[in-house]
Structure formats: structure tokens, C-alpha cells
Amino acid sequence: MANSERIEQAVEQLASLPTIGRKTARRLAFHLLRLPEEHVQRFAETIIAMRREVQECSICCTFTDTTTCPTCANPKRNVLQICVVEQPSDVLAIERTGDYRGVYHVLHGALNPLDGVGVTDIRMRELFARLESNIEEVILAVNPTVEGELTTQYIVKMTQPLTIPITRIARGIPVGADLEFTDEATLSRAFIGRQPV
Amino acid sequence: MANSERIEQAVEQLASLPTIGRKTARRLAFHLLRLPEEHVQRFAETIIAMRREVQECSICCTFTDTTTCPTCANPKRNVLQICVVEQPSDVLAIERTGDYRGVYHVLHGALNPLDGVGVTDIRMRELFARLESNIEEVILAVNPTVEGELTTQYIVKMTQPLTIPITRIARGIPVGADLEFTDEATLSRAFIGRQPV
């Protein structure tokens, strides 16, 4: 039997997080027990504040502290170029490249009929509403998975009457990777997508 | 630039925990953002409650919700046999064996002069106070490290006038391990500690 019910409850909560097993959860709990009480209070309050105050951008649906996210509110961004991604974390990944000057649309998922994720479970309606105005290009940057492929096909099919140019980001060999250890599907895509040098 | 200051603050707090890097911290933050607000509230409150209400047992210094921990309060345990460990998690590990019927003393660390951990930084004074009464056996179950060794030597030296029998748990080959892959120090200890069959 454990000596502290309180610790067990905290371990249970921590172990409910992804990537954290019971052993790590216990280690985290013991770490928190050794911190000053104010630190732990601040830790917990920061998480509550995040959950309470973070909302979806009224335009692109990414997570933000304000009604409109800083990217959508930035007058230097090209609002006629929309990059469609699955998750807010994908926006951060693309922003880190520093190359893209358009705006985003975050679906918060991808179509997955097997798991019961349909069109109304992700921000598809919000995307189509944006596409009704005069858009120059839609760049699909969903994940190269079965779900991403399905989502791509659905968007292409539904936007056909709108004649908006739709592109998808290139699939090929990752920079720095080794041909020898690249899987067949990626290598095959890399051949199909070959470019003049 | 990130789209949410609130998320960045939570990521910073989560990444301050051991074993959690910035990438995992961000993943945890996004996970928490997708949970219902009440769940996140409960998560945070459970951690605050743990930190606020868990205390050190007035006898053995392990973490507990009550003044005296359930093990020390259990009349079936032999209070004259004290097992000395470094951490409260070590108590849980030994309790899982189900073999030990004595009580514990948790030092909350080991002597480590290089890191500035001295006798007054761990619960050494509390241990010696307990040893003043009529103890049958002290079992040292500190870690088989330089710090554990130093702690062992200190306890042995300081308790010499008391003539209490002091034992240490056996060091040897772990059950299920392969001789071939056992390090020399462990193998050497296993030879020294050999027992008649």
C-alpha cells in the first residue's frame, strides 16, 4: 500500500498525459514535492490559465490568446494564400522555416472514418467559408498519411467548382537523409516529383 | 513568433520537469488544450493539493498525508528493525517485494560533499535520534553509488558507540541477468558476497 493517497492521485493525473508512464509520473510527482509550494502553485495556475484563455483564432482556427491570432492580424502576411495544416503545432513548424508569408488554416485533425472523425469534427466548414472569397492559392500541408490523403482528396473535390489553384507541399527525400535508408513510398514520390536542376 | 503567450508559458513550466524536453512539453500542452476545462482544472488542483498536503512522516520522514505514515502506524510492523533508504520511492520499491516487516527511515538524499549535500541537508539527525532507543537492526538500503557508500560509512562510524547491528542489502548479480554482461564491480561484489547453497 502506498503511504500517500495524495501522491497516488497526482501520479494518476500525470500518467494520463501522453508519453508519460506510471514510472515517469511518479518521478515527476516526487520532483514537484521537492519544489517550493509557490513554484508548484505557479506551475498549476499557468496550466489552468492556458486552458482557460487560449482560444481558436476566429479566422484560421489556430490556438491563440486573442480573438485573431498574430499571424492573421499581421498586415504583412498575404491573406490570399492559405496553407492548410492539421494541427496548431504544424503552424509553428512552418513558421520556423521563416519562408512562408501567407496565412494558415488549422483543421484540428484529419478525416478518419475508421475513428469516426468526419467533416463536422474538424474545421472544414470554416475553411470552405474562407475559400468563398477571392483566394490566390491553397497550399495543402497535411501529413503524408492515409488520413491526410483522404483530407486532401475531400478538399480538392469540394473546391473543384471554385477553381482555386490548390497545391500540396512536396513529398520526397528529407534533407540530410540517406537514399539507402529511405522507404520505397518516399523514394517513389521523390522520383515522381523530380524537378529540373 | 508563437501565436500564444499562454501556451509558451505552460510549455516553459512543463519543460522544467525532469525527463520532459521542450518538444514533449509542447505536445503535453496541446493535449491539455484539447481536454475539457474541468479536467485540466482537476489535473492542476490535484497537483496543488499533493504539494500542500503531503508531509514527511514524523517518525520515518517518508512522504505521507498524515502525521505518521501508514507503515509506522501499523502495529504489525517491527519498529525495532529500521531500513534506511535515500528516497520515499525506495520505500515503495521495497514494499512491493512484500517481504520486509520492519519500518523505514528515509534520508531524502545521500551525502555528497561535491554537490554540497552535508549531514544537515538530509534526515540524518532524525535517524540518530531514533537509534537512541533499543534498536535490533539497522538495514542500510542506500544506492550502490559513491554517495551511498559515503553515507553508509558515515552511519557506521557514528553509530559505533551504540553497538547496534548494522547490515547492508546484498550487492550481486540481478536476478535474470546474464553473467557475461555484468560489470566487473558487480561481479566482484557477487564473489565477495557468495553464500553456501
PDB file of all heavy atoms in Angstrom, chain A residues 83-84 94 137-145 149 152 166-175 185-195:
ATOM      1  N   CYS A  83      -2.445  28.283 -46.244  1.00  0.00           N
ATOM      2  CA  CYS A  83      -1.794  26.990 -46.056  1.00  0.00           C
ATOM      3  C   CYS A  83      -2.624  26.170 -45.072  1.00  0.00           C
ATOM      4  O   CYS A  83      -2.816  26.574 -43.923  1.00  0.00           O
ATOM      5  CB  CYS A  83      -0.378  27.196 -45.525  1.00  0.00           C
ATOM      6  SG  CYS A  83       0.456  25.653 -45.147  1.00  0.00           S
ATOM      7  N   VAL A  84      -3.121  25.017 -45.508  1.00  0.00           N
ATOM      8  CA  VAL A  84      -3.991  24.187 -44.668  1.00  0.00           C
ATOM      9  C   VAL A  84      -3.158  23.147 -43.932  1.00  0.00           C
ATOM     10  O   VAL A  84      -2.428  22.371 -44.561  1.00  0.00           O
ATOM     11  CB  VAL A  84      -5.067  23.480 -45.526  1.00  0.00           C
ATOM     12  CG1 VAL A  84      -5.952  22.596 -44.662  1.00  0.00           C
ATOM     13  CG2 VAL A  84      -5.899  24.511 -46.276  1.00  0.00           C
ATOM     14  N   ILE A  94       6.120  25.340 -39.572  1.00  0.00           N
ATOM     15  CA  ILE A  94       6.283  26.067 -40.840  1.00  0.00           C
ATOM     16  C   ILE A  94       6.823  27.473 -40.571  1.00  0.00           C
ATOM     17  O   ILE A  94       7.689  27.973 -41.298  1.00  0.00           O
ATOM     18  CB  ILE A  94       4.951  26.103 -41.625  1.00  0.00           C
ATOM     19  CG1 ILE A  94       4.561  24.677 -42.018  1.00  0.00           C
ATOM     20  CG2 ILE A  94       5.057  27.001 -42.858  1.00  0.00           C
ATOM     21  CD1 ILE A  94       3.163  24.532 -42.589  1.00  0.00           C
ATOM     22  N   GLU A 137      -4.269  31.042 -53.747  1.00  0.00           N
ATOM     23  CA  GLU A 137      -3.706  29.691 -53.704  1.00  0.00           C
ATOM     24  C   GLU A 137      -4.025  29.031 -52.376  1.00  0.00           C
ATOM     25  O   GLU A 137      -3.974  29.671 -51.319  1.00  0.00           O
ATOM     26  CB  GLU A 137      -2.178  29.742 -53.870  1.00  0.00           C
ATOM     27  CG  GLU A 137      -1.527  28.362 -53.924  1.00  0.00           C
ATOM     28  CD  GLU A 137      -0.003  28.421 -53.990  1.00  0.00           C
ATOM     29  OE1 GLU A 137       0.548  29.538 -53.867  1.00  0.00           O
ATOM     30  OE2 GLU A 137       0.618  27.366 -54.149  1.00  0.00           O
ATOM     31  N   VAL A 138      -4.355  27.760 -52.439  1.00  0.00           N
ATOM     32  CA  VAL A 138      -4.488  26.944 -51.230  1.00  0.00           C
ATOM     33  C   VAL A 138      -3.347  25.936 -51.246  1.00  0.00           C
ATOM     34  O   VAL A 138      -3.205  25.168 -52.204  1.00  0.00           O
ATOM     35  CB  VAL A 138      -5.845  26.220 -51.161  1.00  0.00           C
ATOM     36  CG1 VAL A 138      -5.877  25.247 -49.990  1.00  0.00           C
ATOM     37  CG2 VAL A 138      -6.978  27.224 -51.039  1.00  0.00           C
ATOM     38  N   ILE A 139      -2.492  25.975 -50.206  1.00  0.00           N
ATOM     39  CA  ILE A 139      -1.378  25.036 -50.111  1.00  0.00           C
ATOM     40  C   ILE A 139      -1.740  23.978 -49.076  1.00  0.00           C
ATOM     41  O   ILE A 139      -1.941  24.306 -47.908  1.00  0.00           O
ATOM     42  CB  ILE A 139      -0.078  25.748 -49.672  1.00  0.00           C
ATOM     43  CG1 ILE A 139       0.248  26.886 -50.656  1.00  0.00           C
ATOM     44  CG2 ILE A 139       1.076  24.753 -49.573  1.00  0.00           C
ATOM     45  CD1 ILE A 139       1.419  27.741 -50.196  1.00  0.00           C
ATOM     46  N   LEU A 140      -1.828  22.734 -49.496  1.00  0.00           N
ATOM     47  CA  LEU A 140      -2.167  21.674 -48.541  1.00  0.00           C
ATOM     48  C   LEU A 140      -0.881  21.156 -47.898  1.00  0.00           C
ATOM     49  O   LEU A 140       0.001  20.641 -48.594  1.00  0.00           O
ATOM     50  CB  LEU A 140      -2.914  20.544 -49.250  1.00  0.00           C
ATOM     51  CG  LEU A 140      -4.253  20.966 -49.873  1.00  0.00           C
ATOM     52  CD1 LEU A 140      -4.879  19.791 -50.604  1.00  0.00           C
ATOM     53  CD2 LEU A 140      -5.203  21.495 -48.814  1.00  0.00           C
ATOM     54  N   ALA A 141      -0.777  21.330 -46.604  1.00  0.00           N
ATOM     55  CA  ALA A 141       0.394  20.843 -45.870  1.00  0.00           C
ATOM     56  C   ALA A 141      -0.064  19.881 -44.779  1.00  0.00           C
ATOM     57  O   ALA A 141       0.414  19.921 -43.650  1.00  0.00           O
ATOM     58  CB  ALA A 141       1.181  22.015 -45.286  1.00  0.00           C
ATOM     59  N   VAL A 142      -1.005  18.997 -45.148  1.00  0.00           N
ATOM     60  CA  VAL A 142      -1.446  17.980 -44.189  1.00  0.00           C
ATOM     61  C   VAL A 142      -0.398  16.873 -44.165  1.00  0.00           C
ATOM     62  O   VAL A 142       0.479  16.820 -45.022  1.00  0.00           O
ATOM     63  CB  VAL A 142      -2.844  17.423 -44.551  1.00  0.00           C
ATOM     64  CG1 VAL A 142      -3.889  18.520 -44.423  1.00  0.00           C
ATOM     65  CG2 VAL A 142      -2.851  16.832 -45.941  1.00  0.00           C
ATOM     66  N   ASN A 143      -0.494  16.003 -43.172  1.00  0.00           N
ATOM     67  CA  ASN A 143       0.514  14.944 -43.037  1.00  0.00           C
ATOM     68  C   ASN A 143       0.424  13.929 -44.176  1.00  0.00           C
ATOM     69  O   ASN A 143      -0.668  13.650 -44.670  1.00  0.00           O
ATOM     70  CB  ASN A 143       0.343  14.214 -41.704  1.00  0.00           C
ATOM     71  CG  ASN A 143       0.769  15.076 -40.544  1.00  0.00           C
ATOM     72  OD1 ASN A 143       1.689  15.883 -40.665  1.00  0.00           O
ATOM     73  ND2 ASN A 143       0.084  14.937 -39.420  1.00  0.00           N
ATOM     74  N   PRO A 144       1.571  13.373 -44.602  1.00  0.00           N
ATOM     75  CA  PRO A 144       1.559  12.371 -45.674  1.00  0.00           C
ATOM     76  C   PRO A 144       1.131  11.008 -45.150  1.00  0.00           C
ATOM     77  O   PRO A 144       1.894  10.058 -45.164  1.00  0.00           O
ATOM     78  CB  PRO A 144       3.021  12.366 -46.158  1.00  0.00           C
ATOM     79  CG  PRO A 144       3.815  12.832 -44.992  1.00  0.00           C
ATOM     80  CD  PRO A 144       2.926  13.702 -44.152  1.00  0.00           C
ATOM     81  N   THR A 145      -0.122  10.942 -44.662  1.00  0.00           N
ATOM     82  CA  THR A 145      -0.677   9.697 -44.113  1.00  0.00           C
ATOM     83  C   THR A 145      -1.970   9.378 -44.860  1.00  0.00           C
ATOM     84  O   THR A 145      -2.435  10.170 -45.682  1.00  0.00           O
ATOM     85  CB  THR A 145      -1.023   9.877 -42.625  1.00  0.00           C
ATOM     86  OG1 THR A 145      -1.921  10.996 -42.513  1.00  0.00           O
ATOM     87  CG2 THR A 145       0.213  10.159 -41.790  1.00  0.00           C
ATOM     88  N   GLU A 149      -4.199  12.084 -46.799  1.00  0.00           N
ATOM     89  CA  GLU A 149      -4.529  11.882 -48.218  1.00  0.00           C
ATOM     90  C   GLU A 149      -6.033  12.015 -48.435  1.00  0.00           C
ATOM     91  O   GLU A 149      -6.493  12.682 -49.363  1.00  0.00           O
ATOM     92  CB  GLU A 149      -4.037  10.482 -48.616  1.00  0.00           C
ATOM     93  CG  GLU A 149      -3.993  10.213 -50.098  1.00  0.00           C
ATOM     94  CD  GLU A 149      -3.223  11.271 -50.870  1.00  0.00           C
ATOM     95  OE1 GLU A 149      -2.155  11.720 -50.380  1.00  0.00           O
ATOM     96  OE2 GLU A 149      -3.700  11.670 -51.939  1.00  0.00           O
ATOM     97  N   THR A 152      -7.008  15.603 -48.150  1.00  0.00           N
ATOM     98  CA  THR A 152      -6.611  16.293 -49.383  1.00  0.00           C
ATOM     99  C   THR A 152      -7.640  16.052 -50.485  1.00  0.00           C
ATOM    100  O   THR A 152      -8.121  16.999 -51.124  1.00  0.00           O
ATOM    101  CB  THR A 152      -5.234  15.758 -49.849  1.00  0.00           C
ATOM    102  OG1 THR A 152      -4.262  16.105 -48.871  1.00  0.00           O
ATOM    103  CG2 THR A 152      -4.833  16.337 -51.197  1.00  0.00           C
ATOM    104  N   ILE A 166      -4.938  24.787 -56.200  1.00  0.00           N
ATOM    105  CA  ILE A 166      -4.598  24.042 -54.978  1.00  0.00           C
ATOM    106  C   ILE A 166      -3.279  23.325 -55.195  1.00  0.00           C
ATOM    107  O   ILE A 166      -3.114  22.620 -56.198  1.00  0.00           O
ATOM    108  CB  ILE A 166      -5.697  23.017 -54.625  1.00  0.00           C
ATOM    109  CG1 ILE A 166      -7.028  23.753 -54.404  1.00  0.00           C
ATOM    110  CG2 ILE A 166      -5.315  22.228 -53.380  1.00  0.00           C
ATOM    111  CD1 ILE A 166      -8.132  22.865 -53.902  1.00  0.00           C
ATOM    112  N   THR A 167      -2.325  23.529 -54.297  1.00  0.00           N
ATOM    113  CA  THR A 167      -1.054  22.811 -54.376  1.00  0.00           C
ATOM    114  C   THR A 167      -0.872  22.016 -53.091  1.00  0.00           C
ATOM    115  O   THR A 167      -1.578  22.219 -52.118  1.00  0.00           O
ATOM    116  CB  THR A 167       0.142  23.777 -54.508  1.00  0.00           C
ATOM    117  OG1 THR A 167       0.148  24.641 -53.364  1.00  0.00           O
ATOM    118  CG2 THR A 167       0.046  24.618 -55.770  1.00  0.00           C
ATOM    119  N   ARG A 168       0.053  21.080 -53.108  1.00  0.00           N
ATOM    120  CA  ARG A 168       0.405  20.378 -51.874  1.00  0.00           C
ATOM    121  C   ARG A 168       1.916  20.460 -51.734  1.00  0.00           C
ATOM    122  O   ARG A 168       2.638  20.580 -52.725  1.00  0.00           O
ATOM    123  CB  ARG A 168      -0.057  18.929 -51.907  1.00  0.00           C
ATOM    124  CG  ARG A 168       0.661  18.121 -52.954  1.00  0.00           C
ATOM    125  CD  ARG A 168       0.491  16.614 -52.867  1.00  0.00           C
ATOM    126  NE  ARG A 168      -0.513  16.124 -51.988  1.00  0.00           N
ATOM    127  CZ  ARG A 168      -1.208  15.012 -52.241  1.00  0.00           C
ATOM    128  NH1 ARG A 168      -0.998  14.341 -53.374  1.00  0.00           N
ATOM    129  NH2 ARG A 168      -2.093  14.566 -51.393  1.00  0.00           N
ATOM    130  N   ILE A 169       2.413  20.430 -50.523  1.00  0.00           N
ATOM    131  CA  ILE A 169       3.853  20.507 -50.325  1.00  0.00           C
ATOM    132  C   ILE A 169       4.490  19.221 -50.837  1.00  0.00           C
ATOM    133  O   ILE A 169       3.856  18.167 -50.838  1.00  0.00           O
ATOM    134  CB  ILE A 169       4.238  20.783 -48.851  1.00  0.00           C
ATOM    135  CG1 ILE A 169       3.692  19.714 -47.916  1.00  0.00           C
ATOM    136  CG2 ILE A 169       3.768  22.169 -48.427  1.00  0.00           C
ATOM    137  CD1 ILE A 169       4.282  19.782 -46.523  1.00  0.00           C
ATOM    138  N   ALA A 170       5.750  19.326 -51.299  1.00  0.00           N
ATOM    139  CA  ALA A 170       6.416  18.206 -51.942  1.00  0.00           C
ATOM    140  C   ALA A 170       6.682  17.071 -50.970  1.00  0.00           C
ATOM    141  O   ALA A 170       7.038  17.292 -49.811  1.00  0.00           O
ATOM    142  CB  ALA A 170       7.724  18.678 -52.565  1.00  0.00           C
ATOM    143  N   ARG A 171       6.503  15.862 -51.468  1.00  0.00           N
ATOM    144  CA  ARG A 171       6.929  14.691 -50.701  1.00  0.00           C
ATOM    145  C   ARG A 171       8.183  14.153 -51.380  1.00  0.00           C
ATOM    146  O   ARG A 171       8.209  14.013 -52.606  1.00  0.00           O
ATOM    147  CB  ARG A 171       5.806  13.657 -50.689  1.00  0.00           C
ATOM    148  CG  ARG A 171       4.664  14.118 -49.801  1.00  0.00           C
ATOM    149  CD  ARG A 171       3.376  13.424 -50.119  1.00  0.00           C
ATOM    150  NE  ARG A 171       2.982  13.627 -51.508  1.00  0.00           N
ATOM    151  CZ  ARG A 171       1.948  13.010 -52.073  1.00  0.00           C
ATOM    152  NH1 ARG A 171       1.227  12.172 -51.375  1.00  0.00           N
ATOM    153  NH2 ARG A 171       1.639  13.241 -53.325  1.00  0.00           N
ATOM    154  N   GLY A 172       9.204  13.882 -50.631  1.00  0.00           N
ATOM    155  CA  GLY A 172      10.454  13.412 -51.209  1.00  0.00           C
ATOM    156  C   GLY A 172      11.424  13.049 -50.118  1.00  0.00           C
ATOM    157  O   GLY A 172      11.038  12.839 -48.963  1.00  0.00           O
ATOM    158  N   ILE A 173      12.700  13.006 -50.487  1.00  0.00           N
ATOM    159  CA  ILE A 173      13.712  12.592 -49.513  1.00  0.00           C
ATOM    160  C   ILE A 173      13.990  13.744 -48.552  1.00  0.00           C
ATOM    161  O   ILE A 173      14.238  14.865 -49.001  1.00  0.00           O
ATOM    162  CB  ILE A 173      15.033  12.244 -50.228  1.00  0.00           C
ATOM    163  CG1 ILE A 173      14.733  11.407 -51.476  1.00  0.00           C
ATOM    164  CG2 ILE A 173      15.975  11.505 -49.309  1.00  0.00           C
ATOM    165  CD1 ILE A 173      15.892  11.402 -52.426  1.00  0.00           C
ATOM    166  N   PRO A 174      13.948  13.508 -47.244  1.00  0.00           N
ATOM    167  CA  PRO A 174      14.273  14.577 -46.287  1.00  0.00           C
ATOM    168  C   PRO A 174      15.710  15.060 -46.505  1.00  0.00           C
ATOM    169  O   PRO A 174      16.586  14.250 -46.825  1.00  0.00           O
ATOM    170  CB  PRO A 174      14.150  13.900 -44.926  1.00  0.00           C
ATOM    171  CG  PRO A 174      13.395  12.649 -45.152  1.00  0.00           C
ATOM    172  CD  PRO A 174      13.659  12.241 -46.572  1.00  0.00           C
ATOM    173  N   VAL A 175      15.927  16.358 -46.347  1.00  0.00           N
ATOM    174  CA  VAL A 175      17.271  16.916 -46.483  1.00  0.00           C
ATOM    175  C   VAL A 175      18.187  16.265 -45.443  1.00  0.00           C
ATOM    176  O   VAL A 175      17.826  16.180 -44.263  1.00  0.00           O
ATOM    177  CB  VAL A 175      17.235  18.448 -46.284  1.00  0.00           C
ATOM    178  CG1 VAL A 175      18.651  19.020 -46.317  1.00  0.00           C
ATOM    179  CG2 VAL A 175      16.369  19.097 -47.343  1.00  0.00           C
ATOM    180  N   ALA A 185       8.023   4.092 -50.584  1.00  0.00           N
ATOM    181  CA  ALA A 185       6.953   5.041 -50.901  1.00  0.00           C
ATOM    182  C   ALA A 185       7.525   6.450 -51.053  1.00  0.00           C
ATOM    183  O   ALA A 185       7.198   7.180 -51.990  1.00  0.00           O
ATOM    184  CB  ALA A 185       5.894   5.010 -49.799  1.00  0.00           C
ATOM    185  N   THR A 186       8.433   6.835 -50.136  1.00  0.00           N
ATOM    186  CA  THR A 186       9.034   8.164 -50.186  1.00  0.00           C
ATOM    187  C   THR A 186       9.906   8.302 -51.432  1.00  0.00           C
ATOM    188  O   THR A 186       9.841   9.316 -52.149  1.00  0.00           O
ATOM    189  CB  THR A 186       9.889   8.401 -48.924  1.00  0.00           C
ATOM    190  OG1 THR A 186       9.057   8.255 -47.780  1.00  0.00           O
ATOM    191  CG2 THR A 186      10.517   9.783 -48.923  1.00  0.00           C
ATOM    192  N   LEU A 187      10.688   7.261 -51.710  1.00  0.00           N
ATOM    193  CA  LEU A 187      11.593   7.288 -52.856  1.00  0.00           C
ATOM    194  C   LEU A 187      10.787   7.370 -54.158  1.00  0.00           C
ATOM    195  O   LEU A 187      11.125   8.123 -55.081  1.00  0.00           O
ATOM    196  CB  LEU A 187      12.454   6.013 -52.835  1.00  0.00           C
ATOM    197  CG  LEU A 187      13.845   6.117 -53.457  1.00  0.00           C
ATOM    198  CD1 LEU A 187      14.596   7.318 -52.930  1.00  0.00           C
ATOM    199  CD2 LEU A 187      14.639   4.840 -53.159  1.00  0.00           C
ATOM    200  N   SER A 188       9.701   6.614 -54.205  1.00  0.00           N
ATOM    201  CA  SER A 188       8.819   6.621 -55.364  1.00  0.00           C
ATOM    202  C   SER A 188       8.253   8.026 -55.576  1.00  0.00           C
ATOM    203  O   SER A 188       8.239   8.563 -56.687  1.00  0.00           O
ATOM    204  CB  SER A 188       7.712   5.605 -55.120  1.00  0.00           C
ATOM    205  OG  SER A 188       6.655   5.795 -55.998  1.00  0.00           O
ATOM    206  N   ARG A 189       7.780   8.680 -54.482  1.00  0.00           N
ATOM    207  CA  ARG A 189       7.260  10.054 -54.542  1.00  0.00           C
ATOM    208  C   ARG A 189       8.340  11.024 -54.999  1.00  0.00           C
ATOM    209  O   ARG A 189       8.074  11.976 -55.725  1.00  0.00           O
ATOM    210  CB  ARG A 189       6.770  10.494 -53.163  1.00  0.00           C
ATOM    211  CG  ARG A 189       5.466   9.894 -52.748  1.00  0.00           C
ATOM    212  CD  ARG A 189       4.338  10.492 -53.540  1.00  0.00           C
ATOM    213  NE  ARG A 189       3.102   9.774 -53.272  1.00  0.00           N
ATOM    214  CZ  ARG A 189       1.997   9.931 -53.980  1.00  0.00           C
ATOM    215  NH1 ARG A 189       1.970  10.743 -55.015  1.00  0.00           N
ATOM    216  NH2 ARG A 189       0.905   9.259 -53.676  1.00  0.00           N
ATOM    217  N   ALA A 190       9.563  10.789 -54.546  1.00  0.00           N
ATOM    218  CA  ALA A 190      10.679  11.670 -54.900  1.00  0.00           C
ATOM    219  C   ALA A 190      10.963  11.606 -56.398  1.00  0.00           C
ATOM    220  O   ALA A 190      11.279  12.625 -57.025  1.00  0.00           O
ATOM    221  CB  ALA A 190      11.916  11.296 -54.097  1.00  0.00           C
ATOM    222  N   PHE A 191      10.807  10.419 -56.988  1.00  0.00           N
ATOM    223  CA  PHE A 191      11.010  10.282 -58.442  1.00  0.00           C
ATOM    224  C   PHE A 191       9.904  11.004 -59.212  1.00  0.00           C
ATOM    225  O   PHE A 191      10.171  11.746 -60.152  1.00  0.00           O
ATOM    226  CB  PHE A 191      11.068   8.792 -58.829  1.00  0.00           C
ATOM    227  CG  PHE A 191      12.469   8.273 -58.851  1.00  0.00           C
ATOM    228  CD1 PHE A 191      13.069   7.815 -57.694  1.00  0.00           C
ATOM    229  CD2 PHE A 191      13.222   8.284 -60.023  1.00  0.00           C
ATOM    230  CE1 PHE A 191      14.378   7.361 -57.694  1.00  0.00           C
ATOM    231  CE2 PHE A 191      14.532   7.839 -60.038  1.00  0.00           C
ATOM    232  CZ  PHE A 191      15.109   7.377 -58.870  1.00  0.00           C
ATOM    233  N   ILE A 192       8.647  10.757 -58.761  1.00  0.00           N
ATOM    234  CA  ILE A 192       7.502  11.390 -59.432  1.00  0.00           C
ATOM    235  C   ILE A 192       7.636  12.920 -59.374  1.00  0.00           C
ATOM    236  O   ILE A 192       7.354  13.615 -60.348  1.00  0.00           O
ATOM    237  CB  ILE A 192       6.173  10.928 -58.763  1.00  0.00           C
ATOM    238  CG1 ILE A 192       5.956   9.441 -59.016  1.00  0.00           C
ATOM    239  CG2 ILE A 192       5.001  11.745 -59.285  1.00  0.00           C
ATOM    240  CD1 ILE A 192       4.839   8.833 -58.171  1.00  0.00           C
ATOM    241  N   GLY A 193       8.116  13.411 -58.246  1.00  0.00           N
ATOM    242  CA  GLY A 193       8.185  14.861 -58.059  1.00  0.00           C
ATOM    243  C   GLY A 193       9.507  15.464 -58.501  1.00  0.00           C
ATOM    244  O   GLY A 193       9.832  16.587 -58.097  1.00  0.00           O
ATOM    245  N   ARG A 194      10.278  14.768 -59.317  1.00  0.00           N
ATOM    246  CA  ARG A 194      11.598  15.279 -59.691  1.00  0.00           C
ATOM    247  C   ARG A 194      11.491  16.603 -60.448  1.00  0.00           C
ATOM    248  O   ARG A 194      10.516  16.859 -61.156  1.00  0.00           O
ATOM    249  CB  ARG A 194      12.354  14.223 -60.511  1.00  0.00           C
ATOM    250  CG  ARG A 194      11.778  13.888 -61.863  1.00  0.00           C
ATOM    251  CD  ARG A 194      12.494  12.668 -62.441  1.00  0.00           C
ATOM    252  NE  ARG A 194      12.024  12.337 -63.779  1.00  0.00           N
ATOM    253  CZ  ARG A 194      10.943  11.605 -64.028  1.00  0.00           C
ATOM    254  NH1 ARG A 194      10.196  11.145 -63.025  1.00  0.00           N
ATOM    255  NH2 ARG A 194      10.593  11.333 -65.274  1.00  0.00           N
ATOM    256  N   GLN A 195      12.514  17.440 -60.288  1.00  0.00           N
ATOM    257  CA  GLN A 195      12.493  18.805 -60.806  1.00  0.00           C
ATOM    258  C   GLN A 195      13.734  19.039 -61.646  1.00  0.00           C
ATOM    259  O   GLN A 195      14.804  18.486 -61.348  1.00  0.00           O
ATOM    260  CB  GLN A 195      12.530  19.783 -59.624  1.00  0.00           C
ATOM    261  CG  GLN A 195      11.451  19.570 -58.596  1.00  0.00           C
ATOM    262  CD  GLN A 195      10.376  20.610 -58.695  1.00  0.00           C
ATOM    263  OE1 GLN A 195      10.677  21.794 -58.875  1.00  0.00           O
ATOM    264  NE2 GLN A 195       9.147  20.179 -58.608  1.00  0.00           N
TER     265      GLN A 195
END
